[in-house]
Amino acid sequence: MAKLTIRDIAALSGLSKSTVSLVLNNSPKVDPATRRHVLAVMRRHRYVPSFAATALAKGSTRLIGMVVPGLSWHMVASINIGVAAVTERSGFDIILYTATNDRDYGSLIDRILTSSMASGLLVVSHDQPLEPLVQLHEDGLPVVLVNTIDADVALPSVTADNYDGGLTAMDHLLQLGHERIACVQGLMRYRCCQDRYRAYLDALRGAGIQPDPELTKPGDFLPDQIRSRSRELFALPPDQRPTAVFAHSDVTAYAVMTAAAEAGLRVPEDVSVIGFDDIESAAQIRPPLTTIQQPFVDMGKRAAELLLSQIGPNDDEAEPAPDVAAEPSADLPRLVMPTSLIVRASCGPAPVTRSPRGRSQTAKA
């Protein structure tokens, strides 16, 4: 199918070509209702402006858009360091966009289409529908997800190996002699949390330990809820109480440690706690947190390299690109990067407990 032109969009919108041109150039002369109408027609017919297609094909904008769920997210700074290390060598600059619950991907795409500034997008994924980004990628704008929460989305992505990281965390606790290990989850609609929980269950069963549903608590990454659920764990009788907790994030681990202190338990003497992420504050709390490190900086580097490979070389002498949208690649690279165990002071040997039969149990070597 031939690519639509600005004349086609004008006809479909019932407006003049000049009006559509003003919308594409983000002119303040166009009233908001008309602008929304034209942008809706563009999205409906999957229109990529010809000037944008040429800029994307040549890489002449020398700008990469980076979409983050919020500047306060702990991973954003580290990922951005990795992205910048690559883009600076390539002569690209970064435009930072935010897409919060109040500013979704749909409105963001409107801005990208009208400005034609970004040669491609790096998206630090969070809890938003990704279909608008898939459509944008299919229309010819390179898009790469970083730290994606949805492993099945049809976009190139770079993420950490959450399952293997979960196994590593559990193996560390098991090697310390822990058998009653609790799991405080994150948002279980996220694939990363599903993988971590699957690793928790598989590690227990692999060690010959039947998982106890009473030791699994939803956390949803909300500190107040995590503390409340953790109090339930620590209120159990001593022979039923967990001696260790696998938390689905470092922030979750902090809330677990707070609840342990409120219950009069010491970390790690009475209960060991291991997190996931290795954010900067993990080494600063007391006791410093043992955790699984996600390679956020390297993830940013690999994502930027992947995006630049899709944008292609910048060649100002190249022939202008034809007025057609780029064909989406049938091969969607999905890079899964290894995690690593960072041992600090929040985990120790399993304490001596009293079994239900009154028999002393000591920590395994």
Side-chain angles (χ1 to χ4, degrees), residues 178-183 200 214-215 230 232-246 265 270-272 351 353:
H178 296 279
E179 295 184 357
R180 287 193 63 76
I181 303 172
C183 180
Y200 165 78
E214 194 172 19
L215 296 184
S230 299
E232 296 174 6
L233 291 172
F234 300 139
L236 293 170
D239 63 310
Q240 300 176 32
R241 193 170 61 211
T243 64
V245 178
F246 171 33
L265 300 176
D270 300 314
V271 59
S272 292
T353 60

Side-chain angles (χ1 to χ4, degrees), residues 41-309:
V41 171
M42 289 168 56
R43 285 200 305 273
R44 189 180 312 124
H45 294 277
R46 306 177 69 173
Y47 171 72
V48 178
S50 59
F51 66 83
T54 300
L56 295 178
K58 294 179 61 179
S60 58
T61 65
R62 311 304 290 166
L63 295 172
I64 286 177
M66 186 171 175
V67 184
V68 299
L71 297 178
S72 62
W73 274 43
H74 58 261
M75 69 186 71
V76 169
S78 296
I79 292 175
N80 191 47
I81 289 171
V83 171
V86 173
T87 58
E88 288 171 1
R89 294 197 307 266
S90 304
F92 278 81
D93 291 318
I94 300 171
I95 309 173
L96 196 62
Y97 299 94
T98 56
T100 64
N101 290 336
D102 297 326
R103 183 180 295 175
D104 61 19
Y105 290 144
S107 61
L108 175 64
I109 289 171
D110 288 347
R111 294 162 59 200
I112 292 169
L113 286 175
T114 55
S115 66
S116 184
M117 292 179 67
S119 294
L121 288 181
L122 290 171
V123 181
V124 181
S125 183
H126 71 306
D127 195 12
Q128 264 196 54
L130 298 177
E131 289 79 6
L133 296 176
V134 174
Q135 178 175 311
L136 196 61
H137 184 262
E138 291 176 349
D139 287 344
L141 182 70
V143 178
V144 174
L145 297 181
V146 191
N147 200 49
T148 177
I149 59 175
D150 186 351
D152 299 322
V153 68
L155 287 170
S157 63
V158 178
T159 190
D161 193 334
N162 290 282
Y163 178 77
D164 186 70
L167 288 180
T168 300
M170 289 297 295
D171 182 67
H172 183 65
L173 296 176
L174 291 166
Q175 289 294 322
L176 289 170
H178 296 279
E179 295 184 357
R180 287 193 63 76
I181 303 172
C183 180
V184 180
Q185 302 170 325
L187 285 166
M188 290 305 291
R189 64 177 176 271
Y190 292 175
R191 178 63 179 269
C192 60
C193 295
Q194 295 169 17
D195 288 346
R196 294 171 198 177
Y197 185 56
R198 182 165 56 91
Y200 165 78
L201 297 175
D202 288 349
L204 288 177
R205 292 172 181 141
I209 301 171
Q210 182 61 34
D212 183 350
E214 194 172 19
L215 296 184
T216 294
K217 298 294 182 180
D220 293 354
F221 297 132
L222 300 175
D224 288 343
Q225 185 182 45
I226 296 164
R227 287 194 294 271
S228 176
R229 299 298 188 185
S230 299
R231 292 187 195 107
E232 296 174 6
L233 291 172
F234 300 139
L236 293 170
D239 63 310
Q240 300 176 32
R241 193 170 61 211
T243 64
V245 178
F246 171 33
H248 273 194
S249 74
D250 289 351
V251 173
T252 298
Y254 300 165
V256 172
M257 293 167 72
T258 299
E262 292 171 349
L265 300 176
R266 299 165 301 165
V267 176
E269 292 85 355
D270 300 314
V271 59
S272 292
V273 180
I274 191 168
F276 205 110
D277 286 335
D278 193 32
I279 60 178
E280 185 175 356
S281 57
Q284 309 304 322
I285 65 166
R286 291 293 177 267
L289 182 67
T290 294
T291 187
I292 299 299
Q293 183 185 74
Q294 293 198 67
F296 292 125
V297 173
D298 287 341
M299 288 163 63
K301 289 180 180 178
R302 295 301 301 275
E305 291 167 353
L306 181 56
L307 186 68
L308 289 176
S309 72

